[in-house]
Amino acid sequence: MRSKITIAFISIVVVALLLSVTGSAKKGVGIKWMTETEMVTENAQHCIEYGTYNPWDEDVYVYLSVSGDLTEVITSEHSEPVFVPAETSSSEALPVKICFTVSKVYQDDCWLGPFLCEQMCQQDEVTYEGEIVAMEAPEGGGGTGSATALGVSVPLKLRVRCGPFDRDWTLLYVIVIIIVLILIGLFYRKKKRK
Protein backbone atom coordinates (compact mmCIF):
# COMPACT_ATOMS: atom_id res chain seq x y z
CA MET A 1 0.00 0.00 0.00
CA ARG A 2 2.78 2.37 0.97
CA SER A 3 4.66 1.73 -2.29
CA LYS A 4 1.48 2.49 -4.30
CA ILE A 5 1.13 5.85 -2.51
CA THR A 6 4.80 6.64 -3.19
CA ILE A 7 4.47 5.73 -6.89
CA ALA A 8 1.26 7.78 -7.17
CA PHE A 9 2.93 10.78 -5.48
CA ILE A 10 6.00 10.56 -7.78
CA SER A 11 3.72 10.24 -10.82
CA ILE A 12 1.75 13.36 -9.81
CA VAL A 13 4.98 15.34 -9.29
CA VAL A 14 6.38 14.23 -12.69
CA VAL A 15 3.13 15.07 -14.50
CA ALA A 16 2.96 18.48 -12.78
CA LEU A 17 6.56 19.23 -13.80
CA LEU A 18 5.92 18.17 -17.39
CA LEU A 19 2.78 20.31 -17.59
CA SER A 20 4.58 23.33 -16.18
CA VAL A 21 7.46 22.94 -18.67
CA THR A 22 5.23 22.38 -21.72
CA GLY A 23 2.75 25.04 -20.63
CA SER A 24 5.34 27.79 -20.22
CA ALA A 25 6.17 30.09 -23.11
CA LYS A 26 9.53 29.62 -24.79
CA LYS A 27 11.48 32.17 -26.76
CA GLY A 28 14.24 31.56 -29.26
CA VAL A 29 15.15 31.25 -32.90
CA GLY A 30 16.98 28.98 -35.26
CA ILE A 31 19.41 30.01 -38.02
CA LYS A 32 19.81 28.57 -41.50
CA TRP A 33 23.06 29.28 -43.32
CA MET A 34 24.61 28.57 -46.71
CA THR A 35 28.24 29.40 -45.93
CA GLU A 36 30.82 28.85 -43.22
CA THR A 37 33.73 30.52 -45.04
CA GLU A 38 33.74 33.88 -46.82
CA MET A 39 36.48 35.56 -48.84
CA VAL A 40 36.53 39.26 -47.93
CA THR A 41 38.60 42.30 -48.91
CA GLU A 42 40.29 44.57 -46.38
CA ASN A 43 38.86 48.08 -45.98
CA ALA A 44 35.65 46.96 -47.70
CA GLN A 45 32.09 46.16 -46.66
CA HIS A 46 30.79 42.61 -46.94
CA CYS A 47 27.24 41.32 -46.38
CA ILE A 48 25.97 37.79 -45.67
CA GLU A 49 22.34 36.69 -45.62
CA TYR A 50 21.05 34.03 -43.25
CA GLY A 51 17.60 32.60 -42.60
CA THR A 52 15.94 32.79 -39.20
CA TYR A 53 12.94 30.85 -37.93
CA ASN A 54 11.05 30.61 -34.66
CA PRO A 55 9.42 27.28 -33.76
CA TRP A 56 8.69 28.52 -30.23
CA ASP A 57 5.56 30.25 -28.98
CA GLU A 58 6.70 33.87 -28.52
CA ASP A 59 7.31 36.44 -31.27
CA VAL A 60 10.82 37.92 -31.42
CA TYR A 61 12.74 40.64 -33.23
CA VAL A 62 16.09 39.21 -34.33
CA TYR A 63 19.31 40.72 -35.61
CA LEU A 64 22.79 39.26 -36.07
CA SER A 65 26.12 40.14 -34.45
CA VAL A 66 29.70 38.85 -34.61
CA SER A 67 31.72 37.21 -31.84
CA GLY A 68 35.04 35.49 -31.30
CA ASP A 69 38.12 36.46 -33.29
CA LEU A 70 35.89 38.18 -35.87
CA THR A 71 35.66 41.17 -33.53
CA GLU A 72 39.41 41.76 -34.11
CA VAL A 73 39.05 42.32 -37.85
CA ILE A 74 35.58 43.88 -38.12
CA THR A 75 35.54 47.64 -37.59
CA SER A 76 31.77 48.12 -37.91
CA GLU A 77 28.76 45.85 -38.23
CA HIS A 78 25.08 46.39 -38.99
CA SER A 79 22.03 44.14 -39.02
CA GLU A 80 18.44 45.39 -39.29
CA PRO A 81 16.12 43.69 -36.76
CA VAL A 82 13.64 41.29 -38.39
CA PHE A 83 10.29 40.36 -36.85
CA VAL A 84 10.03 36.56 -36.60
CA PRO A 85 6.54 35.44 -35.53
CA ALA A 86 6.03 32.49 -33.20
CA GLU A 87 5.74 29.07 -34.80
CA THR A 88 7.69 30.02 -37.95
CA SER A 89 9.12 26.76 -39.30
CA SER A 90 12.60 26.37 -40.79
CA SER A 91 11.04 25.95 -44.24
CA GLU A 92 9.51 29.44 -43.79
CA ALA A 93 12.79 31.00 -42.55
CA LEU A 94 12.88 34.77 -42.93
CA PRO A 95 15.97 36.48 -44.41
CA VAL A 96 18.18 38.46 -42.02
CA LYS A 97 21.35 40.13 -43.22
CA ILE A 98 24.53 41.21 -41.48
CA CYS A 99 26.91 43.69 -43.11
CA PHE A 100 30.34 44.49 -41.76
CA THR A 101 33.50 46.35 -42.71
CA VAL A 102 36.81 44.49 -42.60
CA SER A 103 39.78 46.46 -41.28
CA LYS A 104 43.22 46.89 -42.87
CA VAL A 105 45.09 43.63 -42.29
CA TYR A 106 48.14 43.56 -44.56
CA GLN A 107 51.20 45.79 -44.16
CA ASP A 108 51.91 48.49 -46.77
CA ASP A 109 55.41 49.66 -47.74
CA CYS A 110 55.20 53.46 -47.48
CA TRP A 111 57.91 56.07 -48.08
CA LEU A 112 56.42 59.32 -46.70
CA GLY A 113 54.30 58.36 -43.69
CA PRO A 114 50.98 57.17 -45.13
CA PHE A 115 51.93 58.36 -48.64
CA LEU A 116 53.70 56.75 -51.60
CA CYS A 117 52.64 53.26 -50.52
CA GLU A 118 52.62 49.92 -52.29
CA GLN A 119 51.41 46.49 -51.27
CA MET A 120 53.23 43.44 -52.59
CA CYS A 121 51.06 40.72 -50.92
CA GLN A 122 53.95 38.45 -50.06
CA GLN A 123 52.53 37.56 -46.63
CA ASP A 124 50.48 34.42 -46.00
CA GLU A 125 46.71 34.78 -46.23
CA VAL A 126 45.18 35.95 -42.96
CA THR A 127 42.06 34.21 -41.62
CA TYR A 128 39.80 34.91 -38.65
CA GLU A 129 37.30 32.51 -37.09
CA GLY A 130 34.32 33.28 -34.92
CA GLU A 131 30.56 33.07 -34.87
CA ILE A 132 27.50 34.90 -36.07
CA VAL A 133 25.16 35.19 -33.08
CA ALA A 134 21.39 35.69 -33.16
CA MET A 135 20.43 38.54 -30.84
CA GLU A 136 17.00 39.57 -29.64
CA ALA A 137 16.35 43.23 -30.37
CA PRO A 138 14.36 45.30 -27.87
CA GLU A 139 10.57 45.13 -28.27
CA GLY A 140 9.43 46.51 -31.61
CA GLY A 141 12.94 46.28 -33.07
CA GLY A 142 13.69 49.84 -31.98
CA GLY A 143 16.79 51.22 -30.34
CA THR A 144 15.61 51.36 -26.72
CA GLY A 145 16.54 48.72 -24.18
CA SER A 146 19.38 46.23 -24.32
CA ALA A 147 19.69 43.29 -26.67
CA THR A 148 20.18 39.75 -25.41
CA ALA A 149 21.70 36.71 -27.09
CA LEU A 150 19.15 34.07 -28.04
CA GLY A 151 21.60 31.22 -27.51
CA VAL A 152 22.02 30.27 -31.16
CA SER A 153 25.05 30.92 -33.34
CA VAL A 154 26.72 29.61 -36.48
CA PRO A 155 30.44 29.37 -37.29
CA LEU A 156 32.06 31.76 -39.75
CA LYS A 157 35.61 31.91 -41.06
CA LEU A 158 36.77 35.06 -42.88
CA ARG A 159 39.63 34.72 -45.36
CA VAL A 160 40.98 38.21 -45.97
CA ARG A 161 42.10 38.76 -49.56
CA CYS A 162 45.25 40.83 -50.09
CA GLY A 163 44.88 43.31 -52.94
CA PRO A 164 48.31 44.22 -54.38
CA PHE A 165 48.83 47.75 -55.67
CA ASP A 166 51.76 49.78 -57.01
CA ARG A 167 53.14 52.95 -55.56
CA ASP A 168 51.09 55.97 -56.68
CA TRP A 169 53.49 58.70 -57.76
CA THR A 170 50.76 61.33 -58.30
CA LEU A 171 51.40 63.06 -54.96
CA LEU A 172 55.12 63.34 -55.71
CA TYR A 173 54.39 64.82 -59.16
CA VAL A 174 52.01 67.37 -57.62
CA ILE A 175 54.63 68.36 -55.01
CA VAL A 176 57.33 68.75 -57.69
CA ILE A 177 54.99 70.87 -59.89
CA ILE A 178 54.09 73.10 -56.91
CA ILE A 179 57.79 73.56 -56.03
CA VAL A 180 58.65 74.38 -59.67
CA LEU A 181 55.79 76.91 -59.86
CA ILE A 182 56.92 78.53 -56.60
CA LEU A 183 60.52 78.73 -57.90
CA ILE A 184 59.34 80.24 -61.22
CA GLY A 185 57.21 82.75 -59.31
CA LEU A 186 60.17 83.71 -57.09
CA PHE A 187 62.44 84.00 -60.14
CA TYR A 188 60.03 86.37 -61.97
CA ARG A 189 59.44 88.38 -58.81
CA LYS A 190 63.20 88.83 -58.37
CA LYS A 191 63.61 89.72 -62.04
CA LYS A 192 60.80 92.30 -61.81
CA ARG A 193 62.46 94.04 -58.86
CA LYS A 194 65.70 94.49 -60.84
Side-chain angles (χ1 to χ4, degrees):
M1 180 72 173
R2 191 172 182 171
S3 65
K4 287 183 182 180
I5 294 174
T6 306
I7 292 172
F9 178 72
I10 291 172
S11 298
I12 290 170
V13 169
V14 169
V15 169
L17 285 173
L18 286 174
L19 286 175
S20 70
V21 169
T22 57
S24 65
K26 293 182 183 176
K27 186 184 282 192
V29 293
I31 298 180
K32 292 175 79 171
W33 68 100
M34 302 297 286
T35 181
E36 288 188 11
T37 303
E38 288 283 308
M39 180 68 82
V40 296
T41 305
E42 57 183 356
N43 286 333
Q45 188 180 66
H46 190 80
C47 296
I48 307 173
E49 188 172 276
Y50 293 87
T52 184
Y53 57 97
N54 179 6
W56 289 272
D57 48 6
E58 277 190 43
D59 299 338
V60 289
Y61 282 88
V62 178
Y63 72 95
L64 302 175
S65 186
V66 296
S67 70
D69 290 345
L70 298 180
T71 56
E72 295 174 21
V73 70
I74 291 175
T75 56
S76 65
E77 62 177 280
H78 179 72
S79 178
E80 282 292 327
V82 172
F83 175 70
V84 187
E87 299 177 7
T88 303
S89 69
S90 78
S91 62
E92 303 168 315
L94 300 169
V96 59
K97 188 186 287 188
I98 183 168
C99 294
F100 49 83
T101 302
V102 178
S103 64
K104 180 90 175 116
V105 172
Y106 297 99
Q107 194 72 31
D108 292 347
D109 176 27
C110 300
W111 284 358
L112 293 172
F115 305 107
L116 298 176
C117 300
E118 72 176 343
Q119 188 162 278
M120 302 296 288
C121 292
Q122 295 173 336
Q123 308 99 312
D124 292 336
E125 183 182 83
V126 178
T127 62
Y128 294 86
E129 293 186 43
E131 294 179 323
I132 299 296
V133 182
M135 304 290 288
E136 180 184 6
E139 198 63 37
T144 59
S146 60
T148 55
L150 288 167
V152 62
S153 61
V154 292
L156 180 64
K157 178 193 282 187
L158 294 181
R159 296 173 53 203
V160 184
R161 179 187 301 116
C162 183
F165 58 85
D166 293 328
R167 216 173 294 282
D168 184 2
W169 297 99
T170 307
L171 178 65
L172 189 62
Y173 296 147
V174 169
I175 291 171
V176 169
I177 290 170
I178 290 171
I179 290 172
V180 168
L181 289 174
I182 289 171
L183 290 174
I184 290 172
L186 290 173
F187 174 76
Y188 280 117
R189 191 173 173 188
K190 221 179 209 183
K191 198 173 179 185
K192 215 173 187 182
R193 283 183 181 174
K194 288 181 179 180

